[in-house]
Amino acid sequence: MTLAQQSTAASLPITIHDTESVDIGSLWKVVQLSANRFWRHTKAYTTILGVMLLTLVSLIFLSMHWSYRRLFPFVSHRVIGSHNGISNQN
């Protein structure tokens, strides 16, 4: 689906007179168009930013895990079946 860019800012002139009265209808249209454009761009980049955040958190977790294993090599995985250094070999 392609969305056509609307250039309505040129067709909505905003004039401020000496009495400082502004046409609220045309000003509201400009605000709505800006909000819609911002929302489209936000939705487009939400997925990309989410994947980047997940990748960053995963890399931080992996670096902490590798650092923990490197700093504490004596904490290793225990072998099932061995108890207090006694193995079940015959």
Side-chain angles (χ1 to χ4, degrees):
M1 170 173 45
T2 58
L3 299 172
Q5 297 258 344
Q6 296 177 356
S7 177
T8 56
S11 65
L12 296 173
I14 298 174
T15 56
I16 300 176
H17 301 287
D18 292 337
T19 61
E20 296 183 11
S21 64
V22 178
D23 184 17
I24 300 298
S26 62
L27 186 61
W28 180 246
K29 285 183 183 180
V30 171
V31 170
Q32 282 182 330
L33 288 174
S34 300
N36 285 340
R37 185 174 183 198
F38 176 75
W39 180 247
R40 281 197 313 265
H41 286 282
T42 303
K43 283 175 48 177
Y45 288 107
T46 300
T47 303
I48 295 169
L49 292 175
V51 169
M52 289 174 61
L53 180 64
L54 182 63
T55 304
L56 180 66
V57 169
S58 298
L59 287 175
I60 290 170
F61 173 77
L62 281 176
S63 66
M64 287 173 33
H65 178 69
W66 288 335
S67 298
Y68 174 76
R69 290 187 63 173
R70 202 174 302 148
L71 289 174
F72 302 109
F74 54 86
V75 178
S76 62
H77 298 290
R78 306 218 189 281
V79 177
I80 297 175
S82 66
H83 184 63
N84 294 330
I86 302 171
S87 64
N88 290 334
Q89 295 178 354
N90 291 334

